[in-house]
Amino acid sequence: MQIKIEEKGYQREYKDRLFKAIFGRNTEQSKRWRLDLYNALNNSNYTNPEELELNTIENVIYITMHNDVSFLVDSQMTLYEQQSTYNPNMPLRGLFYFSQLYQQYLTKENKSILRSTLIKIPAPQFIVFYNGKTKKPERFKLRLSEAFSGQIEEGDFEWSATVYNIGAEYNTGLQKNCKALYDYIRYTQRITDNLNKGMTKEEAVQESVDWAEENWLLEGFFKEQKAEVIGMILTEFDEENTYRGWREDGIEEGKVIGEHSKAVEATKNLLKMKLGSYEQIAQAVNLPVAEVQKLAEEISKA
């Protein structure tokens, strides 16, 4: 699900990323994978994927402030996010996420905080899956209180994020119990290995998608969604390069950048690699078909 928001007089739509495309959609496959991941994390044995009620929120303030998967089960509100760059601010982000999710929940349940009786709300669970380059423990917690500049009583105003390191060599038991997560990790590690061999980002992504398709990772997902997957990954590369530039220039990472320019760059990459029709590429990068065609003409004249 995508949510459109108005900002500065124009409308922006944000594309799903790979983790969310796998675990956060309403396809039968995604529902099963989501349930497998939940069971693997909680040592539970739920069998009905429909018991997980999916919610989504996206890009509330900054371009990086988007969650991957959130859902309700057994009076618990669970939110999963994948991070390829270590971010110590996840508890604060989680606080922002859950404030919106709770607002959605109260609206749906027709409950008002102005009541004189206590309103019961689902308990929060915020899980972050980290697979970046910075070395981190297999599992650790980040706490909001670590960011407070003033002193408070211990335990007051606490919020936390539980981080699972899903590098290829970490949390192997979790990977074993969730085949979809295992395949996701194998695919992303393949890209890393290809880059370490000296491939360009386009070559690394293309080879990894072909390999995933040949090995039937995610039950054929990579074959069915090939152009979209490549578009997602190349867009993430462009986004990360932008963040790196901000950091090198001392610019705050939270500033909003042009989503359109990233989509254009991803489109050019897909066109050069001849992956899909104009319509398929337009759908993958969320641009009008006419604009994709115009970009193709510009490339052919260059």
Side-chain angles (χ1 to χ4, degrees):
M1 175 181 178
Q2 294 180 344
I3 298 175
K4 299 179 181 178
I5 61 174
E6 294 290 331
E7 183 173 317
K8 295 183 180 179
Y10 61 92
Q11 195 173 71
R12 298 170 61 174
E13 234 181 53
Y14 296 93
K15 295 295 295 181
D16 291 346
R17 293 295 188 259
L18 182 58
F19 185 90
K20 187 173 181 182
I22 295 170
F23 294 105
R25 293 183 173 177
N26 273 317
T27 65
E28 294 305 313
Q29 278 185 326
S30 190
K31 290 177 182 178
R32 285 192 288 103
W33 295 335
R34 187 159 59 243
L35 182 62
D36 288 344
L37 182 58
Y38 182 86
N39 283 335
L41 284 167
N42 295 280
N43 295 315
S44 54
N45 55 0
Y46 288 95
T47 58
N48 182 7
E50 301 298 333
E51 291 180 351
L52 302 184
E53 178 187 333
L54 181 67
N55 300 273
T56 59
I57 52 175
E58 299 214 29
N59 298 79
V60 184
I61 300 173
Y62 303 130
I63 196 168
T64 53
M65 192 172 291
H66 61 86
N67 79 290
D68 291 325
V69 184
S70 60
F71 50 85
L72 292 171
V73 62
D74 275 357
S75 297
Q76 183 179 73
M77 185 173 287
T78 299
L79 194 153
Y80 295 159
E81 181 167 3
Q82 180 271 333
Q83 288 280 306
S84 56
T85 302
Y86 175 67
N87 186 341
N89 299 306
M90 295 312 296
L92 183 58
R93 289 163 62 113
L95 179 61
F96 292 156
Y97 296 150
F98 277 96
S99 67
Q100 293 178 78
L101 290 171
Y102 282 132
Q103 288 180 51
Q104 292 179 9
Y105 173 79
L106 293 176
T107 299
K108 181 179 178 181
E109 298 296 321
N110 195 28
K111 297 180 178 180
S112 172
I113 59 174
L114 300 178
R115 292 180 180 178
S116 59
T117 56
L118 181 66
I119 297 174
K120 293 291 187 176
I121 58 176
Q125 182 189 51
F126 186 24
I127 303 294
V128 177
F129 297 98
Y130 169 72
N131 59 348
K133 296 180 180 179
T134 304
K135 293 293 184 181
K136 290 295 173 184
E138 187 165 78
R139 179 181 175 181
F140 58 100
K141 277 188 178 291
L142 296 173
R143 290 180 168 82
L144 183 62
S145 58
E146 296 169 354
F148 295 156
S149 58
Q151 296 295 320
I152 63 168
E153 292 292 331
E154 185 177 353
D156 284 355
F157 306 106
E158 189 60 275
W159 199 266
S160 64
T162 301
V163 184
Y164 284 82
N165 190 337
I166 55 170
E169 70 275 23
Y170 295 96
N171 284 296
T172 54
L174 180 62
Q175 296 183 43
K176 180 181 179 181
N177 291 326
C178 182
K179 180 62 163 53
L181 182 65
Y182 175 63
D183 285 354
Y184 166 79
I185 293 171
R186 292 172 68 199
Y187 169 73
T188 54
Q189 184 62 44
R190 183 83 175 190
I191 295 177
T192 300
D193 292 342
N194 285 340
L195 291 171
N196 291 336
K197 293 176 183 177
M199 291 186 185
T200 65
K201 63 182 181 182
E202 290 83 4
E203 292 170 340
V205 172
Q206 178 68 66
E207 193 281 336
S208 298
V209 171
D210 291 341
W211 172 82
E213 181 181 341
E214 292 171 5
N215 288 275
W216 202 247
L217 267 62
L218 291 170
E219 304 171 19
F221 174 85
F222 288 95
K223 181 177 182 179
E224 298 166 2
Q225 309 291 335
K226 191 168 187 175
E228 183 180 6
V229 169
I230 292 176
M232 288 178 196
I233 300 301
L234 292 178
T235 298
E236 286 186 349
F237 271 115
D238 295 334
E239 193 172 89
E240 175 57 27
N241 288 336
T242 300
Y243 295 158
R244 187 177 298 111
W246 284 345
R247 290 192 289 269
E248 291 173 354
D249 294 338
I251 300 175
E252 185 181 349
E253 188 169 309
K255 289 186 177 179
V256 177
I257 63 175
E259 187 73 9
H260 179 264
S261 63
K262 294 192 302 169
V264 168
E265 185 63 28
T267 300
K268 290 179 180 178
N269 287 328
L270 291 171
L271 288 168
K272 290 175 182 178
M273 297 166 71
K274 298 180 180 180
L275 287 172
S277 65
Y278 295 155
E279 290 78 10
Q280 291 171 323
I281 293 175
Q283 183 178 7
V285 300
N286 197 32
L287 285 181
V289 176
E291 186 168 0
V292 174
Q293 186 172 0
K294 182 178 179 181
L295 290 169
E297 293 171 355
E298 293 176 359
I299 291 174
S300 64
K301 292 177 182 178

